């Protein structure tokens, strides 16, 4: 099996079992909503989404909420500055490796990031592979840095979570947080235009679409207030176009969180997973790149669609068939979404990704040419859409929904030929005919 660490760079660059999509529901609550309104809010969330209701301003107080083992880090709604603290406690059971574990995890299964596997952990912010604190049944958590407090099970690394490691986890804990700290409110789109952002002492909020969430500063939410709601709808629409192509959704249907991470600029603009970690400039940079201006036609949304494409391409945890170049596959989703939503203008790469096609077919080399060029490889993948329509990709991904990494027949001594032979066979099934001639035309190695 190939190491996931070895392909990290291939998963992070911008542009170079999941479950069936649940139907969203209605509800129009605002701050201070009634219990009935709260029920309507919950009906709009996925089965693994936990939205903690907190007041506009602190103190946070005492709150108890559900943390599913499969949840990718629950936002507690609490903001702590470095040195501030909260009392955390937990009860219940969840499963790891098929074994039942309490909040303290299973020490016999070894350690992960300094905690027993399966233990409840806390972290301030979601920086990639950032510091965590073991909570277990209870502890006083002292914030090591300023940030929103997130809670979740520790079973693997942040990188592992991007590849679906949490899909096999089950169960949930009831976690209680008690603190005098500030709050991080979670807002629905209809609240954004009238929300009293100036009263939020933490300066942080989370905006909740139907399918995505955006963690962002109150200052930026005000700057982009006019376009924020429509932009959340645009991100939701990208997600839903991806879901229609894949026939499955990632991370058990949880919202995909976009999160600003000031540590990832050295490797790329974004890191795929849940959250999708973004360089801060994508939250607060130039108008043509900001996430809360995604609804504006001039805004470049290729990268957001691309990173969502990564997590959809990993939706059921099977990913090694893409290992020759992981950057080409998510852009099949990107093209499908941008074309379907009529967002083909102002999107880099959309009109140029096939520019090298004729030169390659006239005599270019597979390696390093096609092998190492994600756009040329995308051009190859899109040959099948051109010949068979988008139904080809719908059939392909439907077939992949029942596959595992073990089905690929990965040969570490002949990586390209083994992987492409598997893909060729899956493509032939989707096309209803032998597609080997297309692979031969493009000099893609197959058995």
């Amino acid at each position: 099996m190939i190491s996931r660490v070895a392909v990290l760079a291939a998963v992070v660059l911008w542009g170079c079992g999941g479950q069936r999509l649940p139907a969203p529901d209605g509800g129009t609550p605002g701050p201070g909503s009634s219990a009935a309104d709260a029920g309507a809010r919950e009906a709009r969330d996925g089965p693994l989404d936990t939205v903690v209701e907190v007041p506009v301003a602190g103190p946070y107080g005492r709150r108890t909420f559900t943390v599913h083992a499969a949840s990718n880090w629950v936002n507690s709604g609490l903001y702590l500055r470095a040195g501030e603290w909260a009392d955390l406690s937990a009860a219940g059971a969840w499963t790891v490796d098929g074994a039942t574990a309490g909040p303290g995890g299973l020490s016999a299964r070894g350690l992960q990031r300094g905690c027993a596997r399966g233990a409840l952990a806390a972290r301030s912010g979601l920086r990639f592979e950032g510091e965590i604190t073991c909570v277990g049944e209870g502890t006083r958590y002292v914030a090591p840095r300023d940030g929103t407090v997130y809670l979740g099970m520790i079973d693997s690394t942040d990188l592992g979570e991007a590849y679906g490691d949490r899909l096999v986890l089950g169960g949930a804990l009831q976690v209680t947080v008690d603190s005098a700290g500030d709050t991080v409110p979670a807002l629905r789109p209809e609240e954004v235009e009238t929300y009293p952002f100036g009263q939020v002492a933490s300066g942080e909020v989370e905006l909740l679409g139907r399918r995505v969430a955006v963690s962002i500063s109150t200052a930026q939410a005000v700057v982009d207030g006019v376009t924020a709601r429509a932009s959340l709808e645009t991100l939701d629409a990208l997600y839903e176009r991806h879901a229609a192509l894949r026939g499955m959704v990632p991370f058990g249907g949880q919202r995909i969180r976009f999160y600003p991470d000031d540590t990832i600029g050295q490797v790329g603009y974004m890191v795929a997973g849940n959250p999708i970690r973004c360089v801060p400039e994508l939250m607060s940079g130039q108008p043509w790149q900001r996430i809360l201006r995604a609804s504006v036609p001039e805004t470049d949304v290729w990268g957001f669609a691309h990173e969502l494409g990564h997590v959809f391409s990993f939706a059921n945890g099977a990913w090694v068939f893409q290992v020759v170049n992981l950057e080409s596959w998510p852009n099949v989703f990107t093209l499908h979404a941008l074309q379907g939503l009529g967002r083909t203008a102002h999107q880099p790469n959309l009109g140029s990704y096939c520019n090298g096609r004729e030169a390659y077919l006239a005599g270019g080399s597979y390696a390093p040419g096609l092998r190492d060029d994600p756009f040329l490889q995308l051009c190859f993948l899109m040959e099948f859409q051109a010949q068979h329509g988008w139904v080809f990709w719908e059939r392909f991904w439907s077939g992949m929904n029942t596959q595992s990494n073990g089905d690929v027949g990965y040969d570490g001594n002949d990586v390209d030929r083994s992987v492409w032979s598997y893909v060729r066979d899956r493509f032939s099934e989707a096309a209803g005919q032998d597609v080997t001639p297309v692979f031969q035309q493009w000099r893609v190695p197959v058995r």
Side-chain angles (χ1 to χ4, degrees), residues 331-375:
N331 280 333
V332 172
F333 289 95
T334 303
L335 293 174
H336 177 258
L338 296 181
Q339 291 173 10
L341 296 177
R343 288 295 297 269
T344 56
H346 308 289
Q347 304 307 308
N349 312 319
L350 197 146
S352 62
Y353 70 89
C354 266
N355 282 356
R357 180 183 187 277
E358 298 310 318
Y360 174 76
L361 293 178
S365 63
Y366 167 73
L370 179 68
R371 189 188 199 282
D372 298 331
D373 186 334
F375 291 119

Side-chain angles (χ1 to χ4, degrees), residues 17-363:
Q19 68 180 50
R20 297 293 173 181
L21 184 67
D25 203 342
T28 56
S33 57
S34 67
D37 286 338
R41 290 168 75 95
E42 291 173 3
R44 303 166 70 182
D45 304 323
L48 296 177
D49 288 324
T50 293
V51 179
V52 182
E53 301 288 345
V54 297
V56 175
Y60 178 87
R62 181 183 176 90
R63 283 173 164 70
T64 299
F65 49 87
T66 302
V67 177
H68 295 276
S71 294
N72 290 76
W73 299 102
V74 171
N75 181 343
S76 70
L78 171 64
Y79 187 93
L80 295 178
R81 292 166 181 80
E84 295 180 342
W85 53 269
D87 287 328
L88 311 179
S89 59
W94 45 21
T95 59
V96 55
D97 288 345
T100 300
L106 299 170
S107 57
R109 302 296 175 95
L111 300 179
Q112 180 58 256
R113 302 176 72 174
C115 300
R117 284 193 61 208
L120 176 67
R123 61 197 297 178
S124 287
L126 292 174
R127 286 179 166 183
F128 187 66
E129 307 295 6
E131 179 181 357
I132 69 163
T133 296
C134 312
V135 174
E137 294 183 355
T139 192
R140 172 159 287 184
Y141 175 71
V142 180
R145 60 186 298 270
D146 296 358
T148 301
V149 177
Y150 294 87
L151 294 153
M153 179 198 277
I154 279 296
D155 182 55
S156 71
T157 64
D158 288 341
L159 178 60
E161 291 180 5
Y163 290 87
D165 282 1
R166 287 187 181 271
L167 293 176
V168 297
L169 304 178
L173 302 180
Q174 292 299 304
V175 177
T176 298
V177 178
D178 193 345
S179 178
D182 287 326
T183 60
V184 181
L187 284 65
R188 309 290 168 156
E190 62 271 14
E191 300 176 76
V192 173
E193 292 180 5
T194 59
Y195 200 80
F197 289 108
Q199 298 177 26
V200 181
S202 69
E204 301 291 331
V205 292
E206 187 153 87
L207 309 183
L208 304 177
R210 298 184 307 276
R211 309 301 184 195
V212 305
V214 177
S215 297
I216 202 160
S217 71
T218 55
Q220 196 59 47
V222 170
V223 169
D224 289 332
V226 173
T227 57
R229 180 173 185 173
S231 294
L232 289 171
E233 293 171 352
T234 295
L235 296 169
D236 284 338
L238 291 173
Y239 179 109
E240 289 167 353
R241 286 288 295 175
H242 288 3
L245 189 63
R246 174 81 203 216
M248 174 180 281
V249 295
F251 305 120
Q254 297 173 64
R255 286 186 180 88
I256 306 297
R257 175 181 285 122
F258 287 87
Y259 180 85
D261 183 344
D262 59 3
T263 69
I264 65 164
Q266 59 187 336
V267 293
Y269 287 106
M270 290 188 253
V271 175
N274 196 6
I276 293 174
R277 294 171 170 91
C278 309
V279 293
E281 289 80 4
L282 296 178
M283 304 291 176
S284 58
Q286 297 299 318
W288 54 265
Q289 67 179 158
R290 293 202 301 266
I291 194 167
L292 291 186
R293 288 179 55 84
S295 59
V296 179
E298 290 75 19
T299 302
D300 174 9
V301 296
W302 177 286
F304 303 127
H306 173 85
E307 297 304 325
L308 285 171
H310 270 302
V311 298
F312 272 90
S313 74
F314 300 154
N316 65 338
W319 63 276
V320 300
F321 66 96
Q322 305 173 57
V323 75
V324 173
N325 197 313
L326 276 81
E327 290 303 302
S328 60
W329 292 87
N331 280 333
V332 172
F333 289 95
T334 303
L335 293 174
H336 177 258
L338 296 181
Q339 291 173 10
L341 296 177
R343 288 295 297 269
T344 56
H346 308 289
Q347 304 307 308
N349 312 319
L350 197 146
S352 62
Y353 70 89
C354 266
N355 282 356
R357 180 183 187 277
E358 298 310 318
Y360 174 76
L361 293 178

